[in-house]
Amino acid sequence: MDLNQGQRTLGASGLRATGAGEGVVRLAITGPGGYSATQESRITIRSPRPAGREVVLSSIPAGQTARIAPNLQAYYAGTVTVRATWGQPVRYDPAALMRAAVDFAFACSEQASSRIMALSAFPYEEERDARLDSYIRQLLDKQRYDGSLGLWSSQGDADRFVTSYGAEALLRARTAGATVPEGPMNALLQSIRDGVEESGIDEPYDRAVQAYRLHVLAMAGRPNPGAARRLYEVLNDLPTPLSRAQLGAAFARMGDRERAEASFNAALSMPPRRFWYQDYGSPIRDNLAIALLLKESGVLPNRLNEVVGRLPGPEFNPNTASTQEAAWAVATAAALGRDGRPVRVSVGGSAAAPAPVVSQRISPPVDVRNNGEGALPQAVSIIGLPVQAPPAGREGMRISRRFLTMQGEAVNLDQLRQNQVFILWVEARAETNETHRAMVQQGLPAGWEIVGRFGEGDVPAAPFLGTLSEAESFPALDDRFAAAVTLTPGSPVARYAVRVRAVTAGRFELPGAEVRDMYRPNIYARQNTGRITIAPVQ
């Protein structure tokens, strides 16, 4: 059938605070004999730069009114989201950290678990139930044949720590009302129980994993008191404060108060730990998690204020927090806030329903009145697309890139033409002499697409690329090239190359290449942004 020329319309919503929006392409076709057909496709529109985040903490005296009127000129109009939270029992903003965990760009099992943990503890987020369902599916997609979790896929090796972390996240989601499929959940818990019975506790990491397993099984109502008592015999050999607290939490759930108190005391008396990549942990993460576990256990109530005093303050913000730190921060704030006096606050002249914590999106400027009898903690978080792209910088890492022809010559990015194919080459290097779980990424201008990736090793037809590295995962993203890799003292360099095609004529922003430790965000390297031009095909 000969069809007449179709009519096409394109509409796009404004970019959200995360720098992403949605476009709609509608195609309407008519033909002879009254034939007609329509097709609608939705496409994601993303900014080439990451969202900017700010947090402002303050206090409103009893009976007083304060105005929230932040200066938003640093962000593009229409991209800003402002949320205010009142009555939070901590000195940081759990709402901002929840968004940081949820908006993280990647989705390994640890990151998916952190999303679940954060969102389960934050009932004020819009569309929370639908989001939780999505993140639960995202996590279970990485469940292996034996019930455990692979870090990046169900085909990868089991990550023993993340298997327990994922199980805890799912248990907390179920308590929050989310639907967690029984079959996968039972298989996950069975893999953890099998690990308890089959694994030794001779090495520090083995002991840390065993403590987490016992804590999760106790949470699920499937305690193993024999294995817990065996691990208790080497309590002072547990390598981290968190592992000791997890063992204490397991004993508390089993009703063994004496061992629970001894385990928590051992956790609290241990010096602050250094970052340890194997358990994704840091001193901040451990302090947050210990406060949550101690609060939930009900033991040592006289030491809870001491533990809360160790929690981070206003300097702890979403720009520097790891996914682990952000998730535990939200869960801890929720647990500590359950016993607080109801917040009585009016926003823009309307009284909010009294609750231990009140959190809502606002449209500043807006007046807020504290109707309570004491000072009211207030946290205001701002997320938006910044007018100025983040500048180049580095701390402990280096990043470099080249754009090459297929023959290895430099490409002039101002003289690209539609359909031209060239090579993006990127190299990341760690300079700390430590191990880093890093993500190497290069954002793609809107006019580019990746058409192929060179495999690891030497490329006979392109010796100028050098020896390319293996990656643990290449996340399937259409707006950037990304590779997850563990950089070690013995192998501190990662090198990748992909073929890129210029597909759309115009001028576009070119994001800088970046490498970052996913669990120590302050160790990174980032280039400046630039501009590229693609001329129409001749």
Side-chain angles (χ1 to χ4, degrees), residues 2 4 11 16 94 159 169 184 240 247 341 387 409 419 451 460 477 508:
D2 292 331
N4 296 331
R16 299 190 297 271
D159 187 307
T240 65
L247 183 59
R341 292 179 300 174
V387 174
E409 299 171 352
N419 298 325
V451 294
L477 301 168
F508 305 97

Side-chain angles (χ1 to χ4, degrees), residues 143-332:
Q143 188 169 28
R144 289 161 31 97
Y145 68 93
D146 59 359
S148 65
L149 297 174
L151 184 59
W152 287 100
S153 77
S154 60
Q155 306 302 312
D157 294 336
D159 187 307
R160 294 185 289 163
F161 186 89
V162 165
T163 293
S164 293
Y165 182 52
E168 177 166 9
L170 292 174
L171 290 170
R172 293 188 181 277
R174 190 166 64 184
T175 299
T179 300
V180 179
E182 286 295 327
M185 187 77 239
N186 287 333
L188 181 57
L189 292 172
Q190 186 60 50
S191 75
I192 293 171
R193 175 171 287 278
D194 292 343
V196 167
E197 299 297 337
E198 297 169 2
S199 299
I201 53 174
D202 298 327
E203 299 296 328
Y205 183 56
D206 296 333
R207 293 191 284 270
V209 168
Q210 191 80 332
Y212 206 165
R213 287 168 172 160
L214 293 167
H215 162 55
V216 167
L217 291 174
M219 279 188 72
R222 305 181 187 188
N224 191 323
R229 287 192 289 268
R230 287 194 296 273
L231 189 61
Y232 181 78
E233 292 174 358
V234 293
L235 173 62
N236 291 329
D237 292 329
L238 267 63
T240 65
L242 177 57
S243 59
R244 299 179 183 190
Q246 287 169 332
L247 183 59
F251 280 125
R253 291 181 184 275
M254 290 185 279
D256 189 339
R257 191 176 186 90
E258 180 179 353
R259 288 187 176 89
E261 290 181 349
S263 299
F264 275 113
N265 278 323
L268 297 177
S269 64
M270 191 174 185
R273 48 90 58 90
R274 295 186 62 189
F275 179 85
W276 190 27
Y277 81 94
Q278 286 185 291
D279 76 340
Y280 304 83
S282 66
I284 290 176
R285 193 281 304 272
D286 278 14
N287 287 339
L288 289 163
I290 290 170
L292 171 62
L293 297 180
L294 186 62
K295 169 70 173 177
E296 290 180 336
S297 73
V299 305
L300 299 180
N302 59 319
R303 299 203 69 177
L304 184 59
N305 286 339
E306 170 196 343
V307 176
V308 172
R310 297 182 182 183
L311 299 183
E315 75 285 350
F316 181 51
N317 66 73
N319 295 316
T320 57
S322 71
T323 47
Q324 281 274 311
E325 292 168 346
W328 285 104
V330 180
T332 299

Side-chain angles (χ1 to χ4, degrees), residues 208-528:
V209 168
Q210 191 80 332
Y212 206 165
R213 287 168 172 160
L214 293 167
H215 162 55
V216 167
L217 291 174
M219 279 188 72
R222 305 181 187 188
N224 191 323
R229 287 192 289 268
R230 287 194 296 273
L231 189 61
Y232 181 78
E233 292 174 358
V234 293
L235 173 62
N236 291 329
D237 292 329
L238 267 63
T240 65
L242 177 57
S243 59
R244 299 179 183 190
Q246 287 169 332
L247 183 59
F251 280 125
R253 291 181 184 275
M254 290 185 279
D256 189 339
R257 191 176 186 90
E258 180 179 353
R259 288 187 176 89
E261 290 181 349
S263 299
F264 275 113
N265 278 323
L268 297 177
S269 64
M270 191 174 185
R273 48 90 58 90
R274 295 186 62 189
F275 179 85
W276 190 27
Y277 81 94
Q278 286 185 291
D279 76 340
Y280 304 83
S282 66
I284 290 176
R285 193 281 304 272
D286 278 14
N287 287 339
L288 289 163
I290 290 170
L292 171 62
L293 297 180
L294 186 62
K295 169 70 173 177
E296 290 180 336
S297 73
V299 305
L300 299 180
N302 59 319
R303 299 203 69 177
L304 184 59
N305 286 339
E306 170 196 343
V307 176
V308 172
R310 297 182 182 183
L311 299 183
E315 75 285 350
F316 181 51
N317 66 73
N319 295 316
T320 57
S322 71
T323 47
Q324 281 274 311
E325 292 168 346
W328 285 104
V330 180
T332 299
L336 295 175
R338 292 189 188 113
D339 301 333
R341 292 179 300 174
V343 169
R344 301 185 183 280
V345 63
S346 296
V347 184
S350 299
V357 175
V358 174
S359 183
Q360 59 183 251
R361 292 190 179 187
I362 60 173
S363 298
V366 65
D367 291 328
V368 178
R369 180 174 177 80
N370 176 8
N371 300 320
E373 299 177 353
L376 179 64
Q378 173 178 275
V380 178
S381 63
I382 304 166
I383 308 175
L385 182 61
V387 174
Q388 296 295 327
R394 71 181 191 89
E395 183 64 43
M397 290 183 172
R398 287 185 180 274
I399 187 76
S400 58
R401 73 181 177 199
R402 299 175 190 168
F403 299 101
L404 305 168
T405 67
M406 303 305 292
Q407 293 74 41
E409 299 171 352
V411 170
N412 186 338
L413 298 183
D414 288 328
Q415 296 181 359
L416 293 174
R417 288 197 173 274
Q418 279 183 289
N419 298 325
Q420 182 177 345
V421 177
F422 54 98
I423 296 172
L424 161 65
W425 178 95
V426 60
E427 179 182 272
R429 182 182 299 270
E431 299 180 323
T432 61
N433 201 35
E434 297 177 347
T435 298
H436 301 277
R437 297 178 187 265
M439 183 65 71
V440 181
Q441 56 179 316
Q442 169 63 64
L444 298 178
W448 291 4
E449 67 176 5
I450 293 175
V451 294
R453 177 175 57 82
F454 293 93
E456 64 269 12
D458 296 325
V459 182
F464 51 86
L465 297 177
T467 301
L468 302 180
S469 304
E470 183 179 4
E472 296 173 21
S473 176
F474 291 103
L477 301 168
D478 57 9
D479 68 330
R480 73 192 74 185
F481 165 75
V485 61
T486 299
L487 301 174
T488 67
S491 183
V493 178
R495 188 179 298 124
Y496 303 101
V498 294
R499 290 184 292 274
V500 177
R501 176 183 287 119
V503 294
T504 306
R507 285 179 52 81
F508 305 97
E509 183 169 298
L510 172 64
E514 179 181 284
V515 57
R516 187 179 296 269
D517 187 316
M518 290 182 284
Y519 305 103
R520 283 186 286 178
N522 59 323
I523 300 179
Y524 74 103
R526 179 183 59 235
Q527 296 178 325
N528 279 318

Side-chain angles (χ1 to χ4, degrees), residues 76-120:
Y76 282 109
T79 72
V80 179
T81 296
V82 181
R83 178 182 283 275
T85 303
W86 298 276
Q88 69 276 9
V90 289
R91 296 176 297 154
Y92 56 81
D93 183 8
L97 290 156
M98 180 279 300
R99 288 302 328 170
V102 169
D103 292 341
F104 195 77
F106 307 106
C108 73
S109 293
E110 186 281 331
Q111 293 147 5
S113 299
S114 292
R115 289 187 175 99
I116 295 169
M117 282 277 288
L119 207 52
S120 296

